């Protein structure tokens, strides 16, 4: 027997242009499934206290089937330069929008769950081409907006272990492959964990981090009475809302982090199941909470975001990457010393004194309105805060 050398295949480093082209058969199948939905009986009251109301979801699903035009939004997405490349064994899909300003600062922007690259459609223009949007050309960014591993066109995942540290290392490799050796990072939700982590894995490359939402971990709850008394009323309200969330809303985290495969069967097979699962979070996390999701965010934009999960059949891998973190949530992090800015909208729960334990906070903004999905709900405020942070560090 002749021995054969064990040579691994060379890494595929090619960056390929990408265009979304959903087969019409997939859209016909979606319409058919929506028409044949087996609806549950409404629970008493049929309101948001027990989940997504049947009457409300029926109306939204009917619009999805007969009024929403995927081709229109597919074309809008395809106006943006999209690419795929393989990193750490995973196909990564990303937008790469270069600014017309030659001295623009590269910025990698990360979404969360149940979001997608669709979150950023209203901020791409102002961030990449401020002159065209009444801004200062010195604030321009070259934007890199990846789909998280396991999400949408970056899914499904091919192996386990996609915690935020691995994602940050992958983003650093992506920026290097694009030729960027000095850049910033921004993110919300999962992105608000990935962006600071990028500062830890590539501190010599990162000039600054900006997040909407909490960039660190809160202390173990409940707080001792003495510590609670030392907080401001705004901070105490954030602690109370965090405690209420853990009591009343954290079931989805438990399910996604422990049984993502089991959950995936229902979400991949039923478009209404997928719609309800995502809309439940959008209603709870937009501001004000009393408003319906489509009163805060354009209804077509909400459905386009859901479509990226449905068309790619990735709710299982998205749940796995988003919440089945190997290290666990809340583990303390080393401070990278990268200058960090954070904006807290009304829904957010970050508290500066705790965020400073593992981040070098140089800018902290509290806003009395706006919700969790900052780029969708308050794009102008978010853009302005990103610009302010990076003005101080991009030199």
């Amino acid at each position: 027997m002749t021995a054969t050398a064990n040579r691994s295949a060379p890494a595929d480093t090619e960056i390929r242009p990408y265009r979304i082209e959903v087969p019409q058969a997939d859209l016909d199948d979606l319409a058919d499934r929506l028409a044949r939905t087996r609806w549950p009986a409404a629970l008493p009251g049929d309101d948001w206290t027990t989940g997504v109301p049947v009457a409300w979801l029926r109306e939204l699903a009917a619009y999805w089937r007969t009024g929403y035009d995927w081709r229109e939004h597919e074309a809008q997405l395809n106006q943006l330069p999209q690419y795929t490349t393989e990193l750490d064994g995973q196909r990564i899909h990303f937008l790469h929008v270069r600014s017309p300003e030659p001295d623009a600062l590269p910025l990698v922007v990360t979404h969360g769950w149940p979001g997608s690259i669709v979150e950023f459609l209203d901020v791409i223009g102002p961030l990449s081409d401020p002159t065209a949007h009444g801004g200062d050309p010195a604030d321009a960014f070259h934007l890199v907006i990846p789909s998280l591993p396991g999400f949408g066109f970056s899914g499904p995942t091919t192996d386990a272990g996609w915690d935020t540290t691995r994602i940050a290392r992958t983003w650093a490799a992506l920026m290097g492959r694009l030729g960027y050796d000095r850049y910033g990072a921004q993110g919300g939700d999962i992105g608000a964990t990935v962006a600071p982590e990028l500062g830890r894995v590539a501190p010599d490359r990162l000039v600054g981090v900006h997040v909407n939402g909490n960039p660190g971990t809160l202390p173990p709850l409940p707080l001792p009475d003495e510590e609670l008394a030392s907080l401001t009323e705004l901070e105490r309200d954030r602690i109370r809302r965090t405690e209420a969330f853990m009591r009343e809303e954290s079931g989805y985290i438990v399910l996604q982090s422990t049984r993502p495969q089991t959950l995936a069967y229902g979400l991949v097979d039923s478009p209404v199941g997928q719609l309800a699962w995502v809309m439940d979070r959008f209603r709870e996390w937009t501001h004000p909470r009393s408003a319906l999701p489509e009163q805060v965010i354009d209804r077509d934009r909400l459905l386009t975001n859901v479509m990226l999960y449905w068309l790619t059949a990735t709710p299982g891998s998205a749940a796995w990457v988003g919440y089945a973190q190997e290290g666990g949530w809340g583990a303390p992090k080393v401070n990278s010393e990268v200058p960090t800015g954070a904006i807290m909208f009304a829904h957010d729960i970050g508290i500066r004194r705790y965020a400073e334990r593992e981040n070098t906070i140089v800018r902290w903004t509290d806003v009395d309105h706006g919700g969790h999905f900052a780029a969708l709900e308050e794009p102008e405020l978010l853009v302005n805060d990103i610009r302010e942070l990076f003005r101080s560090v991009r030199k």
Side-chain angles (χ1 to χ4, degrees):
M1 181 180 293
T2 303
T4 302
N6 183 17
R7 295 188 180 92
S8 59
D12 182 358
T13 60
E14 185 177 353
I15 297 174
R16 298 175 175 86
Y18 186 81
R19 182 176 175 82
I20 304 170
E21 295 178 328
V22 175
Q24 184 59 41
D26 290 356
L27 302 181
D28 294 342
D29 175 71
L30 170 61
D32 181 61
R33 288 171 184 266
L34 288 169
R36 293 185 298 105
T37 300
R38 186 184 183 197
W39 291 95
L43 294 177
D46 197 28
D47 59 27
W48 291 91
T49 59
T50 54
V52 180
V54 174
W56 180 83
L57 197 66
R58 273 184 177 272
E59 183 178 346
L60 183 59
Y63 174 75
W64 192 9
R65 183 171 68 89
T66 63
Y68 173 80
D69 183 358
W70 162 255
R71 293 303 186 196
E72 174 187 342
H73 300 285
E74 180 184 67
Q76 181 185 19
L77 289 169
N78 281 332
Q79 289 175 0
L80 298 168
Q82 301 175 65
Y83 303 89
T84 61
T85 193
E86 183 177 316
L87 290 158
D88 198 4
Q90 177 67 35
R91 183 180 79 158
I92 300 297
H93 164 264
F94 62 99
L95 307 180
H96 186 197
V97 182
R98 288 190 59 86
S99 172
E101 303 297 334
D103 296 327
L105 176 70
L107 182 70
V108 57
V109 182
T110 309
H111 65 84
W113 183 90
S116 67
I117 59 168
V118 171
E119 291 183 55
F120 304 115
L121 294 180
D122 291 335
V123 302
I124 288 172
L127 287 174
S128 64
D129 190 2
T131 302
H133 295 80
D136 186 340
D139 289 327
F141 296 94
H142 298 308
L143 297 176
V144 179
I145 307 176
S147 298
L148 283 164
F151 286 66
F153 302 112
S154 287
T157 45
T158 56
D159 63 359
W162 280 101
D163 60 10
T164 53
T165 300
R166 184 177 176 186
I167 295 169
R169 290 196 186 104
T170 302
W171 280 193
L174 173 61
M175 296 302 277
R177 188 168 293 181
L178 293 171
Y180 297 136
D181 58 7
R182 180 178 177 273
Y183 50 89
Q186 201 283 330
D189 190 78
I190 297 170
T193 304
V194 172
E197 196 64 23
L198 192 53
R200 298 182 182 99
V201 303
D204 56 329
R205 304 282 185 171
L206 220 62
V207 301
V209 168
H210 183 278
V211 300
N212 51 281
N214 190 23
T217 56
L218 290 172
L221 300 176
L223 290 178
D225 290 343
E226 182 178 350
E227 185 173 354
L228 190 62
S230 72
L231 301 178
T232 67
E233 179 53 38
L234 176 63
E235 292 168 339
R236 286 194 293 272
D237 176 66
R238 289 175 178 172
I239 292 293
R240 286 192 292 267
R241 287 191 290 110
T242 301
E243 292 174 330
F245 171 83
M246 297 309 296
R247 288 192 309 269
E248 302 165 9
E249 294 184 52
S250 60
Y252 81 94
I253 295 179
V254 175
L255 186 55
Q256 293 201 150
S257 62
T258 60
R259 291 295 184 269
Q261 184 66 70
T262 302
L263 175 65
Y265 294 109
L267 302 189
V268 170
D269 189 59
S270 169
V272 165
Q274 177 68 86
L275 183 65
W277 192 248
V278 171
M279 286 302 103
D280 184 84
R281 293 299 91 203
F282 269 86
R283 191 270 177 170
E284 294 298 322
W285 294 348
T286 48
H287 185 268
R289 186 185 181 201
S290 59
L292 295 173
E294 72 272 22
Q295 293 172 329
V296 181
I297 300 169
D298 178 75
R299 182 167 55 171
D300 276 18
R301 189 65 56 83
L302 291 168
L303 289 172
T304 301
N305 179 67
V306 171
M307 286 290 277
L308 293 198
Y309 287 87
W310 174 256
L311 294 170
T312 59
T314 56
S317 56
W320 178 251
V321 171
Y323 291 100
Q325 298 288 331
E326 291 184 347
W329 295 95
K333 301 285 189 177
V334 174
N335 191 330
S336 70
E337 300 185 3
V338 174
T340 299
I343 183 168
M344 299 295 126
F345 289 93
H347 177 274
D348 295 320
I349 57 171
I351 296 175
R352 181 168 184 163
R353 69 176 72 181
Y354 301 124
E356 286 180 329
R357 293 177 178 179
E358 52 191 58
N359 300 278
T360 300
I361 304 295
V362 298
R363 178 179 174 81
W364 186 277
T365 307
D366 291 311
V367 183
D368 64 2
H369 57 282
H372 183 72
F373 303 97
L376 288 167
E377 297 181 61
E378 298 289 346
E380 185 175 351
L381 279 176
L382 180 64
V383 165
N384 287 340
D385 206 70
I386 293 171
R387 289 172 175 171
E388 288 289 344
L389 181 278
F390 283 100
R391 280 174 190 155
S392 65
V393 299
R394 68 163 67 213
K395 298 180 178 63

